Amino acid sequence: MSENTSDETSTAGGAGETGWYDLFSRGARDWLRHNDKIREAVRRHLPEIIAGADVLSGGTSTVRVPVRMLEHYRFRLRSPGEQQGVGQGHARPGDRIGRPRQEDESRGQGGNEEGTIQYTLEFRIDDIVDWLWEEMKLPNLEAKTGRAKDDDWTREGWDRRGARARLDRRRSLKESIKRRGMQAESGVTSPPFTDDDLRFRQLAKREQPAMQAVVILLLDVSGSMGERERRIAKAFFFWVIQGLRRQYRDLDLVFVAHTSQAWEFQEEEFFHVSGTGGTLASAGLEKVREIIQERYNPSQYNVYLFYASDGENFPSDQIQAQAVLKELARACNYAGFLEVSVLTGEEPDSETGKLFLELADGDGQVGAFRVAGVEDIWKAVRYFFGQQAQTS
Amino acid sequence: MNIEEWQIYAARIEQLAADQGLKYHPVEFEIVPENFMTEIAIYGLPVRMPHWSFGARYIYQLIQHRMGLSRLFEVVYPGNPGRAYLAKSNSIAENVLVTAHVLGHADFSANNLLFRRSQAEVGEHIVEQAAAHARRISQAIQDHGIEAVETVLDAALALEQHVDIHQGLRREKYPERMPDRAPPAVDEFSQRYALLGPDTARPRISTGPAKRTPTPPHPEQDLLWFIAQYAPDLEPWERDIFLAVREESFYFYPVFACQIMNEGWASYWHARLLREADFLPQSCYVDAIKCHSDVVRPTAGSEQVALSTNPYHLGFSIWEKIIEQQGLEQARRIMSEDDDFSFVRNHLTLELATELELFRYEGPANGTLVVQDVDLPALHEALLSPKYGFGAPTVSAAHVHLDGRLDLLHDHVADGRGLDPERSRKVLEYIVRVWRRPVTLATVDGNEHGMEITVSPSLQLESG
């Protein structure tokens, strides 16, 4: 061992000294990158995740997703039907030995076998909603004249004076470059910035055209809607509400549940409501009509109706329901029907579903979609808020 | 641990080693924290290119470590000077042992032909070279973004084992044209033969310029090199990354191919040097010997039967036998000339295998295993077969079509069975993103029927 070796050792081992490797961990850095990739992968599977997430039980702001470490793939032989190997110890030919316990691999090559470690990642519901709703919007949203409640400060123009916080660095730098360019021609050396270079953003109060909107969520809680159907409907509403709240600042939400009668609820109650008895779609629709009439004038509001039900309506109610629905469809920017069914397939065929389909002839103001399970919820959201948004 | 005390012992151990005829380049020791040891073990090199797969292995190792399943005492890099990293948590006794062990490794890597050849090709400063690669790749990440660099590393690191050691690190590209064909002989026979009239059955021998060689002219196993040289649209910085990964693979190969010999040799020497280290206090000696028997034990813990072998123990036992029966000089010759394949085949005798209670087992993949009759060649093969071809299946580049499509061929006969189709597809997906033309892999399915997997570049990539 040479002299300088000893020196190096003593500095590396000396108290209070730290090697460069103490400053950061490459393993941790690459692990974070690995997790980023997992998050990306999870993000691509959000619809399945929201289906699995039990968000309705409330209180949680995160969803826990079990994930597995990513494998960096290599060419590998297909797993053999038979295996062989070399072992060591007291064993005679013909002896039978069980499966190995996890062997001590401390001195092995380590190899590239990561094994499978499962762990859970937490996702904030807010983030999930952001990702999911990136391209979603309310269909047929229009500017309505009404209360100009959206008057707001907006950026407008620049000035040489202003609050420090509103200093526009980029623009100030441009000014500085312009000035120095001029001065360089005339041979004057100049400071990088002068007070005259500084530009401040100005704010002006502007009235925005109001985009007031109300979304009415109508839920069938009659006896035919079992536990499973209600869960699907509520999960759908949950993600819709989360998304709409993020997309639109001023949005009224109205919660209505019906059996053969209808009631308006607060949001918290709405998600726990259950009822018994028969279904009268017209009762629910009628209640919605009343609410619109009383509080949400369609000339001032964008009105939306989303109705979730198994669609089983008393045949005697059909005519009545049809009449109300027609009227509602005129008042609403969009009226959507979510048919909660046990059957898959996207065409609704229940009594109520048919009523909606009859009205849904091309003007994109009425739609109906059938879901058979929570895993279809995201398709429904996309149907109502994605597809419609594109066609409008 | 008391550094000064260790340094005194280390100097005396070096002296002992020199007296015993160990020949090695100077070794620089560094004492590093344990998590750094873990990183070295995972990355294979103290400073190496970033890649997410190392992160996954790192956490896996940390978890194992915490569960007490593994402990790393030292890592040593061949070179001039060699570099050894010792774990901070080692006790003085452990470090005395480890110092002797490291000298054994240093002697091995300075004299073994495979190591010497690798150092002649790769250079004697692998630690610094790998750090330089890492720097270049960090720069590439700044210039081209993490996604782009990762795309290249995904492919290059997945093919890490697919190099051709025998062709050497620095290779010329294939000749553009076939070597000239010898002109037709003008002898008496052919003159008379010509009188018979035009030979319509025989193809006309062209006298024009030599034919272009197909790419590749023969199945090419050095996939890293081949892609670096022949991928249709590879950017220079991407080629750099492929060649950096390849250089590191050339460095890793002897470590891989001499593991049993190398660990055995180092273990033999730490035991021998320790025995002669009369300057050690009694307690230190006892602790070191305890540590030795933990490292060089055939089965883990209290197990009576293990389904794997410990390369330290196996190598140690073979070397002890060789030195006992043939002397140290002969052992040094074997050390310089062999790799694990010849070492095990030539020196793991039936007698020794019986003494070590080695046995071969077979059985269904998930069922009861049965200990097999004693059969030495079969035992050798079972020990060595996981090490063939750098431990990877035999896949070679077979053909590049005029439109740039690449055919890969898996030699299922050599490997005994086909490739895992799911994983292969994923690897092809990595490759396609740097080859940028469709890539087809031929292998066999579970019934030995030929099958092909083709992956094409996604439209998104083409438009991008």
Side-chain angles (χ1 to χ4, degrees), chain A residues 121-139:
Chain A
L121 277 184
E122 269 198 13
F123 290 85
R124 291 171 52 228
I125 287 183
D126 285 356
D127 287 343
I128 297 183
V129 170
D130 273 352
W131 295 334
L132 285 177
W133 278 77
E134 247 165 19
E135 292 154 22
M136 305 290 143
K137 58 180 182 183
L138 280 170

PDB file of all heavy atoms in Angstrom, chain A residues 121-139:
ATOM      1  N   LEU A 121     -48.549   3.122  -4.217  1.00  0.00           N
ATOM      2  CA  LEU A 121     -48.312   4.531  -4.483  1.00  0.00           C
ATOM      3  C   LEU A 121     -49.588   5.278  -4.134  1.00  0.00           C
ATOM      4  O   LEU A 121     -50.690   4.779  -4.350  1.00  0.00           O
ATOM      5  CB  LEU A 121     -48.010   4.753  -5.962  1.00  0.00           C
ATOM      6  CG  LEU A 121     -46.596   4.516  -6.442  1.00  0.00           C
ATOM      7  CD1 LEU A 121     -46.507   4.897  -7.910  1.00  0.00           C
ATOM      8  CD2 LEU A 121     -45.604   5.328  -5.642  1.00  0.00           C
ATOM      9  N   GLU A 122     -49.424   6.459  -3.590  1.00  0.00           N
ATOM     10  CA  GLU A 122     -50.599   7.266  -3.279  1.00  0.00           C
ATOM     11  C   GLU A 122     -50.774   8.337  -4.334  1.00  0.00           C
ATOM     12  O   GLU A 122     -49.821   9.012  -4.695  1.00  0.00           O
ATOM     13  CB  GLU A 122     -50.437   7.927  -1.910  1.00  0.00           C
ATOM     14  CG  GLU A 122     -50.987   7.075  -0.814  1.00  0.00           C
ATOM     15  CD  GLU A 122     -51.227   7.870   0.462  1.00  0.00           C
ATOM     16  OE1 GLU A 122     -51.202   9.112   0.426  1.00  0.00           O
ATOM     17  OE2 GLU A 122     -51.444   7.223   1.482  1.00  0.00           O
ATOM     18  N   PHE A 123     -51.980   8.462  -4.807  1.00  0.00           N
ATOM     19  CA  PHE A 123     -52.281   9.518  -5.769  1.00  0.00           C
ATOM     20  C   PHE A 123     -53.304  10.440  -5.154  1.00  0.00           C
ATOM     21  O   PHE A 123     -54.288   9.980  -4.568  1.00  0.00           O
ATOM     22  CB  PHE A 123     -52.844   8.929  -7.062  1.00  0.00           C
ATOM     23  CG  PHE A 123     -51.841   8.181  -7.841  1.00  0.00           C
ATOM     24  CD1 PHE A 123     -51.585   6.857  -7.568  1.00  0.00           C
ATOM     25  CD2 PHE A 123     -51.119   8.804  -8.836  1.00  0.00           C
ATOM     26  CE1 PHE A 123     -50.625   6.155  -8.282  1.00  0.00           C
ATOM     27  CE2 PHE A 123     -50.168   8.112  -9.556  1.00  0.00           C
ATOM     28  CZ  PHE A 123     -49.926   6.791  -9.274  1.00  0.00           C
ATOM     29  N   ARG A 124     -53.079  11.739  -5.292  1.00  0.00           N
ATOM     30  CA  ARG A 124     -54.074  12.664  -4.790  1.00  0.00           C
ATOM     31  C   ARG A 124     -55.243  12.667  -5.759  1.00  0.00           C
ATOM     32  O   ARG A 124     -55.062  12.663  -6.975  1.00  0.00           O
ATOM     33  CB  ARG A 124     -53.467  14.065  -4.661  1.00  0.00           C
ATOM     34  CG  ARG A 124     -52.437  14.115  -3.550  1.00  0.00           C
ATOM     35  CD  ARG A 124     -51.685  15.416  -3.556  1.00  0.00           C
ATOM     36  NE  ARG A 124     -52.588  16.568  -3.566  1.00  0.00           N
ATOM     37  CZ  ARG A 124     -52.463  17.594  -4.385  1.00  0.00           C
ATOM     38  NH1 ARG A 124     -51.488  17.605  -5.276  1.00  0.00           N
ATOM     39  NH2 ARG A 124     -53.293  18.600  -4.327  1.00  0.00           N
ATOM     40  N   ILE A 125     -56.440  12.654  -5.196  1.00  0.00           N
ATOM     41  CA  ILE A 125     -57.624  12.648  -6.046  1.00  0.00           C
ATOM     42  C   ILE A 125     -57.610  13.872  -6.950  1.00  0.00           C
ATOM     43  O   ILE A 125     -57.937  13.796  -8.141  1.00  0.00           O
ATOM     44  CB  ILE A 125     -58.898  12.594  -5.188  1.00  0.00           C
ATOM     45  CG1 ILE A 125     -59.027  11.190  -4.596  1.00  0.00           C
ATOM     46  CG2 ILE A 125     -60.133  12.942  -6.017  1.00  0.00           C
ATOM     47  CD1 ILE A 125     -60.260  10.946  -3.783  1.00  0.00           C
ATOM     48  N   ASP A 126     -57.155  14.978  -6.418  1.00  0.00           N
ATOM     49  CA  ASP A 126     -57.048  16.196  -7.222  1.00  0.00           C
ATOM     50  C   ASP A 126     -56.201  15.960  -8.476  1.00  0.00           C
ATOM     51  O   ASP A 126     -56.551  16.410  -9.566  1.00  0.00           O
ATOM     52  CB  ASP A 126     -56.404  17.314  -6.406  1.00  0.00           C
ATOM     53  CG  ASP A 126     -57.380  17.882  -5.384  1.00  0.00           C
ATOM     54  OD1 ASP A 126     -58.555  17.444  -5.396  1.00  0.00           O
ATOM     55  OD2 ASP A 126     -56.971  18.733  -4.585  1.00  0.00           O
ATOM     56  N   ASP A 127     -55.081  15.268  -8.289  1.00  0.00           N
ATOM     57  CA  ASP A 127     -54.210  15.018  -9.438  1.00  0.00           C
ATOM     58  C   ASP A 127     -54.900  14.125 -10.452  1.00  0.00           C
ATOM     59  O   ASP A 127     -54.842  14.363 -11.660  1.00  0.00           O
ATOM     60  CB  ASP A 127     -52.917  14.326  -8.985  1.00  0.00           C
ATOM     61  CG  ASP A 127     -52.003  15.299  -8.262  1.00  0.00           C
ATOM     62  OD1 ASP A 127     -52.225  16.519  -8.404  1.00  0.00           O
ATOM     63  OD2 ASP A 127     -51.094  14.836  -7.556  1.00  0.00           O
ATOM     64  N   ILE A 128     -55.534  13.083  -9.939  1.00  0.00           N
ATOM     65  CA  ILE A 128     -56.217  12.156 -10.841  1.00  0.00           C
ATOM     66  C   ILE A 128     -57.260  12.905 -11.653  1.00  0.00           C
ATOM     67  O   ILE A 128     -57.356  12.755 -12.871  1.00  0.00           O
ATOM     68  CB  ILE A 128     -56.895  11.023 -10.041  1.00  0.00           C
ATOM     69  CG1 ILE A 128     -55.831  10.214  -9.308  1.00  0.00           C
ATOM     70  CG2 ILE A 128     -57.716  10.145 -10.956  1.00  0.00           C
ATOM     71  CD1 ILE A 128     -56.387   9.033  -8.555  1.00  0.00           C
ATOM     72  N   VAL A 129     -58.016  13.751 -10.958  1.00  0.00           N
ATOM     73  CA  VAL A 129     -59.053  14.504 -11.649  1.00  0.00           C
ATOM     74  C   VAL A 129     -58.435  15.421 -12.698  1.00  0.00           C
ATOM     75  O   VAL A 129     -58.925  15.517 -13.817  1.00  0.00           O
ATOM     76  CB  VAL A 129     -59.887  15.303 -10.630  1.00  0.00           C
ATOM     77  CG1 VAL A 129     -60.806  16.268 -11.341  1.00  0.00           C
ATOM     78  CG2 VAL A 129     -60.680  14.349  -9.763  1.00  0.00           C
ATOM     79  N   ASP A 130     -57.315  16.033 -12.342  1.00  0.00           N
ATOM     80  CA  ASP A 130     -56.640  16.889 -13.326  1.00  0.00           C
ATOM     81  C   ASP A 130     -56.283  16.112 -14.575  1.00  0.00           C
ATOM     82  O   ASP A 130     -56.492  16.559 -15.694  1.00  0.00           O
ATOM     83  CB  ASP A 130     -55.344  17.446 -12.721  1.00  0.00           C
ATOM     84  CG  ASP A 130     -55.607  18.723 -11.946  1.00  0.00           C
ATOM     85  OD1 ASP A 130     -56.753  19.215 -12.020  1.00  0.00           O
ATOM     86  OD2 ASP A 130     -54.684  19.213 -11.283  1.00  0.00           O
ATOM     87  N   TRP A 131     -55.707  14.935 -14.361  1.00  0.00           N
ATOM     88  CA  TRP A 131     -55.300  14.127 -15.523  1.00  0.00           C
ATOM     89  C   TRP A 131     -56.498  13.701 -16.336  1.00  0.00           C
ATOM     90  O   TRP A 131     -56.520  13.812 -17.548  1.00  0.00           O
ATOM     91  CB  TRP A 131     -54.550  12.881 -15.049  1.00  0.00           C
ATOM     92  CG  TRP A 131     -53.264  13.159 -14.364  1.00  0.00           C
ATOM     93  CD1 TRP A 131     -52.475  14.255 -14.544  1.00  0.00           C
ATOM     94  CD2 TRP A 131     -52.616  12.362 -13.381  1.00  0.00           C
ATOM     95  NE1 TRP A 131     -51.372  14.173 -13.744  1.00  0.00           N
ATOM     96  CE2 TRP A 131     -51.429  13.024 -13.019  1.00  0.00           C
ATOM     97  CE3 TRP A 131     -52.911  11.142 -12.785  1.00  0.00           C
ATOM     98  CZ2 TRP A 131     -50.541  12.514 -12.083  1.00  0.00           C
ATOM     99  CZ3 TRP A 131     -52.022  10.631 -11.861  1.00  0.00           C
ATOM    100  CH2 TRP A 131     -50.854  11.310 -11.505  1.00  0.00           C
ATOM    101  N   LEU A 132     -57.517  13.207 -15.609  1.00  0.00           N
ATOM    102  CA  LEU A 132     -58.680  12.672 -16.303  1.00  0.00           C
ATOM    103  C   LEU A 132     -59.401  13.749 -17.091  1.00  0.00           C
ATOM    104  O   LEU A 132     -59.882  13.522 -18.190  1.00  0.00           O
ATOM    105  CB  LEU A 132     -59.650  12.060 -15.296  1.00  0.00           C
ATOM    106  CG  LEU A 132     -59.252  10.717 -14.722  1.00  0.00           C
ATOM    107  CD1 LEU A 132     -60.271  10.291 -13.685  1.00  0.00           C
ATOM    108  CD2 LEU A 132     -59.177   9.670 -15.816  1.00  0.00           C
ATOM    109  N   TRP A 133     -59.469  14.909 -16.499  1.00  0.00           N
ATOM    110  CA  TRP A 133     -60.306  15.941 -17.094  1.00  0.00           C
ATOM    111  C   TRP A 133     -59.557  16.877 -18.017  1.00  0.00           C
ATOM    112  O   TRP A 133     -60.090  17.893 -18.435  1.00  0.00           O
ATOM    113  CB  TRP A 133     -61.015  16.732 -15.994  1.00  0.00           C
ATOM    114  CG  TRP A 133     -62.233  15.997 -15.532  1.00  0.00           C
ATOM    115  CD1 TRP A 133     -62.267  14.922 -14.706  1.00  0.00           C
ATOM    116  CD2 TRP A 133     -63.594  16.252 -15.903  1.00  0.00           C
ATOM    117  NE1 TRP A 133     -63.539  14.488 -14.530  1.00  0.00           N
ATOM    118  CE2 TRP A 133     -64.380  15.293 -15.258  1.00  0.00           C
ATOM    119  CE3 TRP A 133     -64.212  17.206 -16.718  1.00  0.00           C
ATOM    120  CZ2 TRP A 133     -65.765  15.252 -15.390  1.00  0.00           C
ATOM    121  CZ3 TRP A 133     -65.578  17.163 -16.857  1.00  0.00           C
ATOM    122  CH2 TRP A 133     -66.347  16.192 -16.206  1.00  0.00           C
ATOM    123  N   GLU A 134     -58.312  16.504 -18.325  1.00  0.00           N
ATOM    124  CA  GLU A 134     -57.506  17.371 -19.161  1.00  0.00           C
ATOM    125  C   GLU A 134     -58.271  17.869 -20.391  1.00  0.00           C
ATOM    126  O   GLU A 134     -58.224  19.025 -20.733  1.00  0.00           O
ATOM    127  CB  GLU A 134     -56.244  16.632 -19.616  1.00  0.00           C
ATOM    128  CG  GLU A 134     -54.986  17.208 -19.045  1.00  0.00           C
ATOM    129  CD  GLU A 134     -53.820  16.251 -19.200  1.00  0.00           C
ATOM    130  OE1 GLU A 134     -53.903  15.332 -20.030  1.00  0.00           O
ATOM    131  OE2 GLU A 134     -52.832  16.434 -18.475  1.00  0.00           O
ATOM    132  N   GLU A 135     -58.964  16.971 -21.045  1.00  0.00           N
ATOM    133  CA  GLU A 135     -59.603  17.368 -22.311  1.00  0.00           C
ATOM    134  C   GLU A 135     -61.121  17.381 -22.214  1.00  0.00           C
ATOM    135  O   GLU A 135     -61.814  17.461 -23.225  1.00  0.00           O
ATOM    136  CB  GLU A 135     -59.188  16.393 -23.417  1.00  0.00           C
ATOM    137  CG  GLU A 135     -57.739  16.509 -23.759  1.00  0.00           C
ATOM    138  CD  GLU A 135     -57.200  15.213 -24.332  1.00  0.00           C
ATOM    139  OE1 GLU A 135     -58.008  14.408 -24.827  1.00  0.00           O
ATOM    140  OE2 GLU A 135     -55.989  15.015 -24.271  1.00  0.00           O
ATOM    141  N   MET A 136     -61.616  17.303 -21.003  1.00  0.00           N
ATOM    142  CA  MET A 136     -63.076  17.237 -20.870  1.00  0.00           C
ATOM    143  C   MET A 136     -63.642  18.625 -20.631  1.00  0.00           C
ATOM    144  O   MET A 136     -63.001  19.486 -20.054  1.00  0.00           O
ATOM    145  CB  MET A 136     -63.452  16.366 -19.662  1.00  0.00           C
ATOM    146  CG  MET A 136     -62.870  14.999 -19.704  1.00  0.00           C
ATOM    147  SD  MET A 136     -63.627  13.995 -20.969  1.00  0.00           S
ATOM    148  CE  MET A 136     -62.200  13.093 -21.498  1.00  0.00           C
ATOM    149  N   LYS A 137     -64.855  18.809 -21.077  1.00  0.00           N
ATOM    150  CA  LYS A 137     -65.526  20.049 -20.731  1.00  0.00           C
ATOM    151  C   LYS A 137     -67.030  19.872 -20.854  1.00  0.00           C
ATOM    152  O   LYS A 137     -67.508  18.890 -21.426  1.00  0.00           O
ATOM    153  CB  LYS A 137     -65.045  21.193 -21.600  1.00  0.00           C
ATOM    154  CG  LYS A 137     -65.238  20.971 -23.076  1.00  0.00           C
ATOM    155  CD  LYS A 137     -64.724  22.183 -23.842  1.00  0.00           C
ATOM    156  CE  LYS A 137     -64.968  21.977 -25.326  1.00  0.00           C
ATOM    157  NZ  LYS A 137     -64.438  23.088 -26.126  1.00  0.00           N
ATOM    158  N   LEU A 138     -67.742  20.819 -20.322  1.00  0.00           N
ATOM    159  CA  LEU A 138     -69.190  20.764 -20.443  1.00  0.00           C
ATOM    160  C   LEU A 138     -69.573  20.982 -21.893  1.00  0.00           C
ATOM    161  O   LEU A 138     -69.062  21.893 -22.543  1.00  0.00           O
ATOM    162  CB  LEU A 138     -69.824  21.869 -19.595  1.00  0.00           C
ATOM    163  CG  LEU A 138     -69.937  21.589 -18.094  1.00  0.00           C
ATOM    164  CD1 LEU A 138     -70.358  22.857 -17.375  1.00  0.00           C
ATOM    165  CD2 LEU A 138     -70.942  20.475 -17.826  1.00  0.00           C
ATOM    166  N   PRO A 139     -70.458  20.160 -22.403  1.00  0.00           N
ATOM    167  CA  PRO A 139     -70.868  20.341 -23.795  1.00  0.00           C
ATOM    168  C   PRO A 139     -71.731  21.601 -23.968  1.00  0.00           C
ATOM    169  O   PRO A 139     -72.465  21.986 -23.058  1.00  0.00           O
ATOM    170  CB  PRO A 139     -71.667  19.071 -24.084  1.00  0.00           C
ATOM    171  CG  PRO A 139     -72.091  18.547 -22.761  1.00  0.00           C
ATOM    172  CD  PRO A 139     -71.066  18.984 -21.767  1.00  0.00           C
TER     173      PRO A 139
END
